[in-house]
Amino acid sequence: MKKGKIIFKAVLFIAIFCVLFSAANSILKRKALVGAWNTTVKIGGLANEPKDSIDVMFFGSSHMYCSINPLELYQKTGITSYVYAVQQQPIWASYYYIIEALKYQSPKLVVLEMYTANYTEEYTSEEVNFSSTDEIGFSKNKIDLIQAMVPKEERKNHYIEFLKYHTRWKELTKDDFNLNYKELTDPNRGFVLLETSQPVVLNAEEVTETAQLYEKNLEYLDKIIALSEEKGFDLLFLGSPYQMDEEQKKVFAAVDQYADQNGIPFLDYNHYYEELGLDPQTDYYDKGHVNYKGAKKVTDHFADYLSQNYELEDHRGQAEYQDWQEDYESYTAYIKELEAK
Amino acid sequence: MLFNSLHFLIFFPIAVLGYWILPHKARWVWLLITSYYFYMCWNASYALLMATSTVITYLSGLLIGRADRIKNEKKRTKMRKLWVFLSFAINLSILFFFKYFNFAVDNLNLVLDALHIKLLTPDFDILLPVGISFYTFQALSYTVDIYRGDLAPERNLGKYALFVSFFPQLVAGPIERSKNLITQIHEKHTFCYSEVKNGLLLMLWGFFQKLVIADRAAILVNQVFNNYTEYAGFQIAIAVFLFAMQIYCDFAGYSNIAIGAAHVMGFSLMQNFDRPYFSKSIPEFWRRWHISLSTWFRDYLYIPMGGNRKGTVRKYFNVMVTFLASGLWHGASWNYVAWGFLHGLYQVIGGILKPFRDAVTKKFHIDRNLFSNKLLRILWTFLLVNFAWIFFRAPGITEAFAIIGKLFSSFNPWIFFDGSLYTLGLVQKDFWMLLFSLVILASVSYMQRNRSLRERLEKQNIIFRWCVYFIAIFFVLIFGIYGPNYDASAFIYFQF
């Protein structure tokens, strides 16, 4: 056989292989498309929002995505926002999530929830690593995220997700074959709507000691501040209200100190239980997270805070933002139905 | 690096591309470098060990060649034997130290203990060098081949080193003969599209055997053998049967990848497995199982001891010694020795009973060529082989007997119907995938009895062929067992 023909056949073979492989990869990949935690839609959906239409972006862990409801915030102030967070997302992942978000949006304000300042290990668990990296499309930023987030010997499983997810053939569902999932948008703009409630004990007692912030957290907080200066967005640290123990309070005290030193405001709602009017009997999903009722109270307060401290555009009534109003109405209809049950 | 690793998937195309791009003169150097790199991925310092064996056997070849030119016949014979002896002594000592030292010390202590003698012996923490049994045997065969005059001594140390370290068959065979491989190292190979393709197809088949069957069967086998006290009757029987499948697919799969990889570079290595479970007797099984090892023992141990030329009793003795040695070669533990012993014993008993069996066949006019008769012999052989595998797989010899006890302790055919089949380590879907793959294996093995399947496939049109290739590739990629464990529930928790 002639050399040219061999090369042609080899190239064709590899090309067909790549097409089939990418199809198999998309089908077998883990997807979270339904339910409250449809993170694939929430994270992937940001790319499908109109470019530069979001003014405030929220980053952090589950404490972030259940505490602020962008639709309520829009209703009250006309400010557009989006929660770009996955469960237990550490600060170093948030750094790369900010970079990722900047590809699609130019937020005026970036809000970082500080719960994961409590982390003291270099690496989070394998599942956290996967849920943080899986949702980001392949790019240099994803490689950087994997380098920062995943122990060396496990990185190959993140570059080639097929290594891990090929065994999912046993649990494929109809959703897995819907290859349009990358075009979906999330009407809740990243907010995770938690419906049930569980009583908690809130302890407003203050601590005097401060903990030492873990160095990897410090490193990435510094990076985030540098990024905000470089890209010209404002930065705000947030503490969502939850049932804290004493150690965690010391960590938040250290965050407070760090924020102070760097001239970043730190809005720690654990000092404002009263002002928020949180009801420990009804407003919590569990001791770590507020439910949708709690989120409404936090969002209301936060809306006032934004109005007082930032000059952000009110998009209400603008034609391009019509879908925000529609999504808010569907949301309230859903809540009405929920509460009628 | 293992064949079933991402590392090899990157290494192999580079090795192959480099090989075909370089001119003939440089190719052996490239292969030597890639082979040592391949080996050093496990443990760099153990490459020195392989190099030592290489140099010793290389020198033995040159020295035997020089001794051949000695005029005085007595002296010549003496010198030739001396060099063979030294080569074997040094190489086997290395092998003994790294593979059998702790085993020997443990047993010595047991004996001394029985005699109420206390001996403190250091227990070295020796890590078994990968493939040491394979390359040592391959290198030793060179010494004997030179001694026998089958081959002229190799003068180029580099090329000789490549013979010992050639990466496709370095760590798990086939154990090549010097005559076959050294000759091919000297030959100029020209790129042949269909040979490259055939090599790749054989590798793909090997990956199917290894990843889809062997590694899947291993999950159930490990569960049952490691917790045998919790299982009985048919549960044990299933595990034993699947272990027979596992070890065959593991080993034959690895051999096929090796032979295929060598083929991609124009080398043809010897066949290592010839559908062994279709054998109709134990001696036939050993002509079809791990052929490169059994012929090694035949040529370099059994025949030099006299083989079957010195009377029946001596023949049986030689068979027993050969199989005990083969057992020990497989691992430094008594259960491997017991496994070898059983296979020797099968053949001795078979030999003793042969006149009796022949008489029965004659008396009752049994046609040994009937399908039913052949099938019966195949099943009986398979049963004997399976029984011996229990000793091979069990963690130790007492456990092997305990497992056999559990095998006969209960008659529980209901496990096939009440779903408990799927609690042996493989969930239902995996279990059926395993059975389906075994059906493919059996069908392919059956079709292979006349002609190579690859030749038949080559005659089909390109669309059909490519469909087959892609289906096979993705079957292995999706249904193979590799990569980190995915546990959906770990993500579900985790809602928070």
Side-chain angles (χ1 to χ4, degrees):
Chain A
M1 205 180 299
K2 283 215 179 85
K3 216 179 193 174
K5 196 176 168 193
I6 292 173
I7 293 174
F8 173 74
K9 277 175 97 171
V11 170
L12 185 65
F13 193 87
I14 292 168
I16 295 176
F17 175 83
C18 290
V19 171
L20 292 174
F21 185 81
S22 106
N25 195 41
S26 301
I27 292 169
L28 288 162
K29 189 180 156 93
R30 181 183 66 90
K31 304 169 197 78
L33 299 177
V34 290
W37 289 277
N38 56 344
T39 38
T40 306
V41 181
K42 292 185 189 313
I43 301 304
L46 182 70
N48 303 321
E49 292 290 326
K51 200 163 168 31
D52 298 337
S53 64
I54 310 284
D55 291 331
V56 179
M57 293 266 339
F58 299 95
F59 298 86
S61 63
S62 57
H63 286 237
M64 184 69 250
Y65 66 47
C66 64
S67 301
I68 297 273
N69 183 343
L71 290 177
E72 299 272 16
L73 183 62
Y74 176 81
Q75 174 64 18
K76 199 160 179 211
T77 61
I79 296 169
T80 52
S81 63
Y82 202 102
V83 186
Y84 205 51
V86 296
Q87 42 209 345
Q88 300 184 32
Q89 176 178 309
I91 290 170
W92 42 95
S94 291
Y95 171 69
Y96 296 101
Y97 268 57
I98 297 173
I99 294 176
E100 189 70 16
L102 293 177
K103 289 179 186 174
Y104 313 109
Q105 303 294 337
S106 311
K108 320 269 179 311
L109 173 66
V110 163
V111 181
L112 181 63
E113 206 284 331
M114 298 307 292
Y115 169 71
T116 53
N118 286 299
Y119 287 6
T120 53
E121 305 272 336
E122 188 179 1
Y123 297 111
T124 44
S125 76
E126 199 187 343
E127 284 74 27
V128 175
N129 295 346
F130 270 102
S131 66
S132 290
T133 61
D134 279 356
E135 314 295 1
I136 303 290
F138 202 80
S139 63
K140 183 186 175 294
N141 187 41
K142 178 166 185 160
I143 296 174
D144 294 339
L145 169 65
I146 291 169
Q147 300 274 346
M149 179 141 204
V150 183
K152 194 157 185 253
E153 60 278 17
E154 290 171 22
R155 285 177 197 157
K156 59 178 186 294
N157 304 324
H158 292 257
Y159 294 127
I160 306 172
E161 291 161 355
F162 197 81
L163 286 175
K164 186 173 178 79
Y165 292 133
H166 71 100
T167 53
R168 275 192 77 242
W169 63 270
K170 279 172 275 188
E171 53 203 60
L172 290 180
T173 63
K174 197 176 159 195
D175 277 340
D176 288 302
F177 291 89
N178 172 15
L179 297 184
N180 294 330
Y181 71 88
K182 284 181 186 156
E183 290 153 28
L184 298 173
T185 51
D186 178 29
N188 286 342
R189 302 322 194 264
F191 170 64
V192 172
L193 197 165
L194 300 176
E195 298 174 0
T196 55
S197 63
Q198 182 191 313
V200 296
V201 183
L202 294 175
N203 166 17
E205 220 169 280
E206 304 285 336
V207 292
T208 46
E209 285 172 72
T210 55
Q212 182 71 33
L213 283 180
Y214 175 52
E215 52 192 272
K216 190 168 177 180
N217 276 333
L218 269 180
E219 178 192 341
Y220 278 90
L221 285 174
D222 288 346
K223 282 186 174 195
I224 289 170
I225 292 172
L227 188 68
S228 81
E229 282 159 6
E230 186 196 328
K231 301 285 178 185
F233 55 77
D234 285 329
L235 199 55
L236 167 66
F237 293 162
L238 188 79
S240 59
Y242 75 108
Q243 184 181 319
M244 294 178 112
D245 62 30
E246 202 163 315
E247 285 310 308
Q248 292 168 331
K249 286 189 178 190
K250 287 179 194 166
V251 170
F252 267 32
V255 171
D256 203 26
Q257 220 170 47
Y258 174 86
D260 217 33
Q261 283 159 7
N262 290 280
I264 312 281
F266 178 35
L267 182 59
D268 181 3
Y269 277 121
N270 293 290
H271 299 305
Y272 302 107
Y273 296 146
E274 298 264 313
E275 288 88 332
L276 290 170
L278 279 174
D279 180 348
Q281 296 303 310
T282 62
D283 292 347
Y284 275 80
Y285 171 80
D286 62 14
K287 64 182 183 180
H289 311 84
V290 288
N291 59 19
Y292 75 96
K293 291 178 192 159
K296 173 146 187 11
K297 291 176 183 172
V298 177
T299 306
D300 278 347
H301 189 282
F302 188 73
D304 294 339
Y305 178 85
L306 281 189
S307 308
Q308 283 158 24
N309 295 285
Y310 298 89
E311 282 176 23
L312 294 161
E313 197 182 342
D314 179 354
H315 294 290
R316 282 174 296 189
Q318 294 175 358
E320 323 68 293
Y321 293 87
Q322 185 59 33
D323 58 326
W324 281 82
Q325 187 58 35
E326 288 162 10
D327 290 337
Y328 177 75
E329 279 157 20
S330 322
Y331 170 78
T332 44
Y334 178 81
I335 295 296
K336 217 174 240 173
E337 210 174 291
L338 181 72
E339 288 178 345
K341 271 182 204 167
Chain B
M1 73 189 81
L2 291 169
F3 285 155
N4 53 330
S5 67
L6 207 56
H7 200 164
F8 182 74
L9 225 55
I10 298 163
F11 163 84
F12 184 64
I14 295 173
V16 169
L17 271 179
Y19 176 79
W20 286 118
I21 288 169
L22 287 168
H24 169 64
K25 276 189 175 168
R27 281 180 187 164
W28 70 267
V29 181
W30 172 253
L31 281 185
L32 185 61
I33 294 168
T34 49
S35 294
Y36 265 81
Y37 172 77
F38 179 87
Y39 192 73
M40 286 160 80
C41 285
W42 270 289
N43 187 323
S45 55
Y46 277 171
L48 283 173
L49 218 54
M50 183 165 70
T52 309
S53 283
T54 303
V55 171
I56 290 165
T57 46
Y58 168 78
L59 288 176
S60 81
L62 290 183
L63 290 168
I64 292 168
R66 210 163 75 181
D68 278 340
R69 292 192 294 275
I70 297 173
K71 290 242 168 66
N72 179 334
E73 195 185 325
K74 243 186 175 172
K75 198 179 172 198
R76 182 169 72 217
T77 315
K78 207 176 112 193
M79 291 308 286
R80 277 162 44 86
K81 286 194 168 160
L82 173 70
W83 299 132
V84 173
F85 171 77
L86 278 180
S87 173
F88 268 71
I90 298 172
N91 276 296
L92 291 179
S93 304
I94 296 174
L95 181 63
F96 174 83
F97 178 75
F98 280 93
K99 192 164 176 175
Y100 301 104
F101 184 77
N102 283 342
F103 178 62
V105 167
D106 288 348
N107 284 296
L108 190 65
N109 276 340
L110 277 179
V111 173
L112 293 175
D113 208 37
L115 299 171
H116 303 292
I117 302 170
K118 281 231 153 81
L119 189 73
L120 281 174
T121 27
D123 221 11
F124 282 102
D125 186 21
I126 303 167
L127 180 69
L128 183 67
V130 181
I132 189 170
S133 314
F134 287 90
Y135 74 69
T136 304
F137 268 39
Q138 181 158 318
L140 284 177
S141 81
Y142 170 77
T143 301
V144 180
D145 289 348
I146 297 294
Y147 175 77
R148 290 179 180 166
D150 293 342
L151 185 82
E154 173 58 53
R155 307 212 161 266
N156 184 325
L157 177 60
K159 286 186 180 174
Y160 179 73
L162 175 58
F163 158 70
V164 179
S165 66
F166 186 48
F167 77 81
Q169 42 87 254
L170 170 56
V171 292
I175 302 167
E176 257 319 319
R177 296 311 165 78
S178 52
K179 205 173 164 182
N180 181 25
L181 192 52
I182 291 182
T183 315
Q184 292 190 61
I185 288 170
H186 285 282
E187 272 170 6
K188 184 176 176 177
H189 299 279
T190 43
F191 183 89
C192 170
Y193 175 77
S194 75
E195 283 203 356
V196 170
K197 188 181 71 183
N198 277 335
L200 290 172
L201 279 176
L202 189 59
M203 290 175 80
L204 181 59
W205 177 243
F207 278 115
F208 168 77
Q209 290 177 307
K210 168 77 181 140
L211 294 174
V212 181
I213 300 181
D215 290 351
R216 179 170 274 112
I219 300 170
L220 187 147
V221 170
N222 293 343
Q223 170 67 23
V224 174
F225 271 87
N226 297 345
N227 309 284
Y228 63 88
T229 49
E230 295 163 30
Y231 301 103
F234 281 108
Q235 292 166 322
I236 303 275
I238 288 168
V240 172
F241 167 77
L242 285 179
F243 178 65
M245 296 298 132
Q246 181 200 337
I247 187 150
Y248 168 63
C249 286
D250 199 288
F251 210 168
Y254 220 78
S255 290
N256 281 332
I257 297 169
I259 296 167
H263 210 64
V264 169
M265 295 180 290
F267 286 82
S268 46
L269 302 182
M270 68 188 292
Q271 191 184 15
N272 215 11
F273 290 85
D274 180 19
R275 303 173 299 119
Y277 290 147
F278 288 99
S279 305
K280 293 185 280 292
S281 69
I282 295 293
E284 187 189 348
F285 175 78
W286 280 103
R287 287 193 293 275
R288 299 171 70 165
W289 176 277
H290 202 180
I291 300 164
S292 65
L293 179 72
S294 16
T295 52
W296 196 100
F297 275 115
R298 184 195 66 199
D299 294 346
Y300 303 111
L301 182 64
Y302 179 68
I303 290 177
M305 279 168 61
N308 56 7
R309 289 160 298 157
K310 293 189 175 170
T312 316
V313 175
R314 181 60 192 261
K315 177 190 162 185
Y316 292 154
F317 175 78
N318 290 345
V319 167
M320 290 309 294
V321 170
T322 305
F323 278 89
L324 285 172
S326 169
L328 205 54
W329 180 89
H330 282 82
S333 169
W334 285 112
N335 51 319
Y336 295 112
V337 178
W339 169 78
F341 175 79
L342 262 181
H343 272 280
L345 194 66
Y346 287 160
Q347 297 184 57
V348 171
I349 293 176
I352 293 170
L353 291 181
K354 190 165 188 301
F356 175 72
R357 279 185 296 154
D358 289 346
V360 170
T361 310
K362 212 171 165 189
K363 173 103 182 172
F364 293 97
H365 303 290
I366 295 169
D367 184 353
R368 306 197 93 196
N369 287 318
L370 279 181
F371 171 75
S372 54
N373 187 287
K374 283 190 202 164
L375 182 69
L376 202 68
R377 281 187 285 151
I378 289 174
L379 288 177
W380 174 242
T381 306
F382 185 62
L383 215 61
L384 291 177
V385 170
N386 264 273
F387 184 73
W389 282 139
I390 296 176
F391 287 89
F392 194 94
R393 175 59 185 81
I397 204 147
T398 43
E399 289 91 341
F401 284 112
I403 289 167
I404 293 165
K406 294 291 281 182
L407 174 64
F408 295 109
S409 70
S410 163
F411 180 72
N412 51 358
W414 54 85
I415 63 144
F416 292 103
F417 310 103
D418 68 358
S420 56
L421 209 51
Y422 309 128
T423 60
L424 304 179
L426 287 177
V427 297
Q428 189 169 358
K429 282 176 189 166
D430 268 320
F431 194 88
W432 283 98
M433 180 51 68
L434 179 58
L435 291 188
F436 176 66
S437 310
L438 287 174
V439 169
I440 296 177
L441 177 76
S443 317
V444 168
S445 303
Y446 186 70
M447 284 190 279
Q448 277 173 332
R449 77 196 185 287
N450 298 324
R451 246 182 322 158
S452 153
L453 264 187
R454 280 172 289 163
E455 280 171 31
R456 277 151 81 181
L457 184 63
E458 203 155 4
K459 295 203 177 75
Q460 307 300 319
N461 71 50
I462 185 166
I463 296 184
F464 180 81
R465 276 185 284 135
W466 281 35
C467 284
V468 171
Y469 302 158
F470 282 119
I471 290 171
I473 290 171
F474 280 95
F475 194 88
V476 173
L477 282 178
I478 294 171
F479 302 119
I481 303 288
Y482 62 88
N485 222 346
Y486 168 70
D487 178 9
S489 63
F491 285 94
I492 293 166
Y493 120 60
F494 165 79
Q495 311 301 344
F496 281 106

